[in-house]
Amino acid sequence: MKRMLFFARRNALEILREPISLFFGVLFPVVLLALLSLINSAIPAEANMTLYHIENLAPGIASFGLCFLSLFASMLISKDRCSSFMLRLRTSPLRSWEYIAGYCLPMLPMAVAQSLLCMLAAIPMGLQPTIGILGMAVGLLPTACLFIALGLLLGTVLSEKAIGGICGALLTNLSGWLSGTCFSIEMIGGTFETVCKVLPFYPSALAAKALLNGQWSQAVGNIGIVTAWAAAAAIAAVLIFTRKMKRDH
Amino acid sequence: MNAIETKGLSKHYGTKKALACLDLTVKDGELFALLGVNGAGKTTTIKLLSCLMAPSSGSACIYGHDILTHTHEARSLLATSPQETAVAPNLTTRENLELMAGIYGASLPQSKESAARMIAAFNMGEIENIKAKKLSGGWQRRLSIAMALISQPKLLFLDEPTLGLDVLARRELWSIIRGLKGKTTVILTTHYLEEAEALSDRIGILSHGMLSALGTAQELIAQSGAKNFEDAFITLAGGAVS
């Protein structure tokens, strides 16, 4: 446990000291929030367009912003894998579970902080500060776990170069476009709507909205969908990570 | 107790034999150099002995702990300083040292104490708060070795510790490595023959995955009938002296 905490501290410092982490983790979601909020202010009230209202927009962006956790985790793991530093660690008494926990643990407080910062930034844009903000930050933990597990998985199998494309572009776009934050999923309907409801990104955004507005019971089903995906991703990540470690051994 | 004992240690990849039937004993506190041309089997030997890889056949014990059945116990006694500098780039010198102490089981106060001790021992006071990625190659290499030593391992693998360093930095590291003699068992791999000759108690030469010669530098020179250690190495490593 003690060994794992030292390793977790190292991983937290490595991520927090990368300027790119601060940009994508904090600044980018806030900039996106500000831009979409600006668009909302240009939409006439008669249009009855509520999608970009801050109470809908902010939880969607907070949910989407967590996808960058995958980028941070996968970049760190991939970098470590390709370096002699990993060789040094692998000759140390660190066990497989300590590696996994050491990589994942620091991401959870980062996820909560990221969600809260996004909400704090939304307050001057018109968001009412309620207890729902805290509920949403906690309710998004399964989403954080999902993205952390995906980061662990992708960092284990992909090179640092490929991470940029898969995590930085593909996953980010998928989780953004399929979250229903920028356009109405119901408006498109059909297969697209079904796919969005099955994948975890849209349910996560819906759960975040419900939690922010204090509609706890409405969030449960969507949190369940996200949790199921997170559990599946975590199992796959742990299996592949430990298998890869053993194979390298 | 012997630091390393191998019996018929072998590793093959498909039909290619990387290491064949290595029988080797290294005494506690000995500085043992493992030499060989590229592809001779040095890296495979180090990987096997540092529990990074399982042998195809044979056995190896680190201070009596079998590398296959008591891997965790063996690992807790050894440390490695890989060829490329193995540091956490965004951590400072002090943080890197504390990290390694912690990973080998020290508490937070113990890790701080150990880091302070290594900073003093390696004269790294001026760089203790500088991120590792901003250090020069010489300082990084020194930090890398200090990180390997912070857990006070009984067995240390030094893989090409002075590769790419200028003559001053190299001599400084030599002095540090000499200081380990008798206290820590060191397995040194290097392509600098004068380094092996100057530092080692004994030298093993690997050729085509087999231990082709073993002894002190003087014994190897005598064994080969060569004039100097470089010629002896070429002869014993399977080359021809022109």
Side-chain angles (χ1 to χ4, degrees):
Chain A
M1 184 70 169
K2 203 164 55 181
R3 279 193 291 262
M4 184 276 286
L5 290 175
F6 270 93
F7 186 51
R9 178 176 176 267
R10 173 263 169 176
N11 293 329
L13 289 174
E14 286 282 355
I15 293 169
L16 292 172
R17 287 178 182 172
E18 277 295 339
I20 195 170
S21 307
L22 290 177
F23 175 78
F24 281 111
V26 180
L27 207 61
F28 185 71
V30 172
V31 168
L32 201 61
L33 190 66
L35 278 175
L36 293 174
S37 201
L38 205 67
I39 291 172
N40 181 55
S41 63
I43 298 172
E46 306 84 71
N48 203 22
M49 171 89 164
T50 59
L51 186 69
Y52 289 172
H53 285 184
I54 197 72
E55 66 275 12
N56 292 326
L57 198 57
I61 297 288
S63 166
F64 159 71
L66 295 177
C67 73
F68 293 109
L69 293 173
S70 290
L71 185 67
F72 306 154
S74 57
M75 274 176 69
L76 180 65
I77 294 164
S78 181
K79 251 188 212 173
D80 280 352
R81 254 184 47 229
C82 303
S83 76
S84 296
F85 185 68
M86 184 55 98
L87 195 70
R88 183 195 285 286
L89 291 180
R90 288 185 53 220
T91 58
S92 77
L94 265 184
R95 295 176 192 271
S96 284
W97 76 265
E98 289 172 316
Y99 278 101
I100 294 168
Y103 278 123
C104 298
L105 199 68
M107 301 274 175
L108 290 173
M110 280 184 211
V112 173
Q114 194 184 332
S115 301
L116 290 177
L117 281 171
C118 187
M119 289 296 112
L120 279 177
I123 291 172
M125 298 177 207
L127 185 75
Q128 292 299 313
T130 63
I131 192 74
I133 290 179
L134 288 176
M136 189 213 71
V138 174
L140 279 178
L141 281 175
T143 309
C145 290
L146 166 70
F147 285 119
I148 293 166
L150 286 175
L152 181 64
L153 185 67
L154 295 170
T156 306
V157 296
L158 296 178
S159 68
E160 201 186 335
K161 221 174 180 180
I163 295 288
I166 302 288
C167 263
L170 189 64
L171 184 63
T172 311
N173 272 296
L174 269 180
S175 52
W177 295 119
L178 304 184
S179 70
T181 303
C182 299
F183 53 86
S184 167
I185 301 290
E186 283 83 4
M187 196 176 74
I188 296 174
T191 311
F192 183 78
E193 185 183 353
T194 310
V195 169
C196 287
K197 284 180 174 170
V198 170
L199 289 173
F201 314 116
Y202 184 49
S204 170
L206 287 178
K209 277 180 208 173
L211 289 168
L212 180 68
N213 298 316
Q215 297 156 336
W216 315 106
S217 57
Q218 285 185 31
V220 173
N222 287 317
I223 289 177
I225 296 172
V226 179
T227 306
W229 276 99
I235 290 167
V238 168
L239 286 176
I240 291 171
F241 185 87
T242 45
R243 195 175 161 193
K244 179 107 176 137
M245 293 276 281
K246 275 184 190 155
R247 198 174 61 185
D248 288 350
H249 176 88
Chain B
M1 179 181 273
N2 288 321
I4 296 174
E5 271 185 56
T6 73
K7 280 179 192 156
L9 191 68
S10 304
K11 180 75 185 177
H12 47 81
Y13 303 99
T15 54
K16 188 181 178 288
K17 278 199 170 177
L19 188 68
C21 289
L22 178 69
D23 292 318
L24 179 69
T25 301
V26 177
K27 291 186 221 104
D28 181 37
E30 190 175 1
L31 206 158
F32 185 87
L34 199 55
L35 306 183
V37 296
N38 291 333
K42 296 189 301 292
T43 305
T44 302
T45 307
I46 298 294
K47 280 188 173 175
L48 288 167
L49 294 177
S50 54
C51 311
L52 278 172
M53 190 189 262
S56 304
S57 60
S59 66
C61 287
I62 306 295
Y63 285 97
H65 300 292
D66 189 286
I67 58 164
L68 273 181
T69 56
H70 292 85
T71 312
H72 193 70
E73 289 83 354
R75 276 184 179 167
S76 64
L77 296 173
L78 65 88
T80 53
S81 180
Q83 190 181 111
E84 291 158 43
T85 311
V87 294
N90 278 321
L91 265 58
T92 64
T93 298
R94 180 175 285 279
E95 287 166 347
N96 264 294
L97 291 165
E98 288 172 3
L99 166 71
M100 289 317 294
I103 279 177
Y104 277 84
S107 64
L108 192 62
Q110 284 169 341
S111 73
K112 288 186 184 299
E113 203 177 292
S114 301
R117 180 171 45 82
M118 295 311 284
I119 287 168
F122 281 72
N123 294 319
M124 294 190 293
E126 64 184 279
I127 57 147
E128 65 176 305
N129 294 316
I130 298 177
K131 283 183 190 169
K133 67 179 176 186
K134 292 189 176 166
L135 298 174
S136 68
W139 278 121
Q140 283 194 356
R141 202 59 65 83
R142 190 183 282 220
L143 169 60
S144 191
I145 294 176
M147 285 167 73
L149 284 169
I150 197 164
S151 60
Q152 296 181 305
K154 288 174 79 83
L155 174 61
L156 174 66
F157 293 97
L158 287 177
D159 193 6
E160 303 274 357
T162 62
L163 186 73
L165 295 187
D166 62 47
V167 69
L168 289 179
R170 177 176 296 173
R171 286 302 169 105
E172 279 181 22
L173 272 184
W174 279 21
S175 150
I176 289 168
I177 295 166
R178 272 201 193 97
L180 299 172
K181 272 195 185 183
K183 292 181 256 175
T184 306
T185 309
V186 179
I187 306 298
L188 170 76
T189 67
T190 180
H191 282 298
Y192 299 119
L193 299 178
E194 76 280 12
E195 188 164 280
E197 194 178 5
L199 297 174
S200 316
D201 296 318
R202 281 193 309 154
I203 297 165
I205 297 177
L206 285 169
S207 175
H208 304 292
M210 297 177 80
L211 189 66
S212 61
L214 180 68
T216 63
Q218 289 309 314
E219 284 168 354
L220 295 179
I221 293 169
Q223 189 183 325
S224 65
K227 287 181 203 155
N228 54 47
F229 185 64
E230 188 169 325
D231 288 347
F233 170 76
I234 293 169
T235 305
L236 296 167
V241 183
S242 56

